[in-house]
Amino acid sequence: MADRVHPRDDSPPQTTEFKPRPAAAPLQEEHDQAHNYPQSPTKPDAPQYPKDQVYRVPPPANAKRYERLSRRKPSRSPCCCCLCWLLALLTALFFLIGVAAAVFYFVFRPESPDYSVERLSISGFNLTSSRWVSPEFDVTVRANNPNDKIGIYYKKGSSVDVYYDSVKLATGSLPSFYQGTNNVTVFVTPLKGSAVELTSRDRTAMIGEASKGRVPFKLALRAPVKIKVGPVETWEITVKVDCDITVDNLTAAAEIRSKKCDYGVDLW
């Protein structure tokens, strides 16, 4: 029986050494060289800039252009500046006018004068013998100024006309006078017409209306006036009164059956 052989105690111990796996790049490169594949050229690394430099500092090629543009000031055309000034002045002017009108209204409380025709006396109508007539009217006008602090100057150049249909029958004017505050003035204005031609149709219609007791006339009054506010007088303005008047006959004792008047003012 053979003897068992035992290992010697002084033999060096066996160790296991870990060798790292070679990188894939050299293997790939050796593979490419073995098969004669062309190798792609490697790109140099791009320079890295801090983020605040990327956003705030322009590239050197555009630095001069950036500096020139940043120094440039926005320019406005002279026409644009003039238009802005004009609009500002007009706005200020309208504002001041509005304030002045509001102050005037609250201080003086202006009210419109009131006019009415109180009586109409008629003569000179002969509708049976001739087509030519020379009518005369005496118009009694009542003018009421209800204002406490405003007076009215009635100037020369007024006119009062009476029409039948579209035919002017007579004309006259108002007297010149001053009407004080809270005043009612009644005055008679004579109107005259000369050789007024009436067509047969107009004469026939007027005779029929007189027999029925309803003859219509139109009265147009135009009066230049000046308004007096304290010591200040305004420019001349024109008061306009248009009345539709119906009388019962064509005599001096004629009575007004109906009347309707409209008022207006021309400021210029």
Side-chain angles (χ1 to χ4, degrees):
M1 183 172 178
D3 294 333
R4 181 178 296 179
V5 180
H6 297 279
R8 295 177 59 179
D9 294 334
D10 56 352
S11 61
Q14 296 181 1
T15 59
T16 303
E17 182 180 357
F18 176 78
K19 294 182 179 181
R21 186 178 179 179
L27 294 177
Q28 182 67 29
E29 184 176 354
E30 291 175 1
H31 182 270
D32 293 342
Q33 289 178 358
H35 291 80
N36 294 324
Y37 289 158
Q39 296 183 3
S40 58
T42 59
K43 296 182 180 179
D45 294 338
Q48 299 295 323
Y49 296 100
K51 186 179 291 184
D52 58 347
Q53 251 188 346
V54 172
Y55 289 106
R56 297 180 184 178
V57 179
N62 296 334
K64 292 184 179 180
R65 185 167 180 265
Y66 171 79
E67 183 179 0
R68 185 174 65 254
L69 292 176
S70 61
R71 290 180 180 178
R72 182 180 298 176
K73 295 182 179 180
S75 59
R76 293 184 181 179
S77 63
C79 294
C80 182
C81 294
C82 292
L83 182 60
C84 293
W85 276 106
L86 179 61
L87 290 177
L89 290 176
L90 289 177
T91 303
L93 179 61
F94 286 136
F95 176 76
L96 293 177
I97 291 175
V99 171
V103 171
F104 177 82
Y105 177 79
F106 285 109
V107 172
F108 295 100
R109 298 286 183 177
E111 297 182 42
S112 175
D114 178 58
Y115 302 92
S116 63
V117 178
E118 299 295 311
R119 192 170 183 277
L120 196 64
S121 178
I122 305 172
S123 62
F125 278 99
N126 188 353
L127 301 176
T128 58
S129 61
S130 174
R131 63 178 182 176
W132 304 95
V133 294
S134 297
E136 296 183 3
F137 295 83
D138 288 334
V139 182
T140 303
V141 179
R142 180 179 182 271
N144 176 30
N145 178 16
N147 294 283
D148 296 329
K149 300 178 181 180
I150 298 176
I152 303 174
Y153 284 102
Y154 288 86
K155 312 297 288 185
K156 294 181 180 181
S158 63
S159 65
V160 183
D161 301 322
V162 173
Y163 295 85
Y164 176 78
D165 199 3
S166 59
V167 180
K168 182 189 287 189
L169 299 176
T171 186
S173 61
L174 298 178
S176 300
F177 66 97
Y178 172 74
Q179 186 176 26
T181 60
N182 288 319
N183 177 266
V184 176
T185 302
V186 178
F187 49 88
V188 178
T189 300
L191 311 179
K192 294 183 179 181
S194 178
V196 179
E197 182 180 6
L198 292 176
T199 64
S200 58
R201 172 181 166 275
D202 292 335
R203 293 198 309 273
T204 302
M206 191 174 290
I207 292 172
E209 290 163 346
S211 63
K212 296 177 182 179
R214 300 191 67 83
V215 184
F217 293 104
K218 292 183 180 295
L219 184 142
L221 184 150
R222 302 291 183 270
V225 301
K226 284 187 175 182
I227 306 300
K228 183 176 182 294
V229 183
V232 179
E233 294 182 15
T234 66
W235 61 93
E236 279 193 6
I237 62 178
T238 302
V239 174
K240 302 186 297 182
V241 182
D242 295 306
C243 297
D244 292 326
I245 303 171
T246 301
V247 297
D248 60 348
N249 59 63
L250 298 175
T251 66
E255 294 184 1
I256 296 176
R257 294 298 186 185
S258 65
K259 57 184 176 181
K260 179 182 177 182
C261 295
D262 296 324
Y263 311 99
V265 175
D266 286 340
L267 295 178
W268 313 108

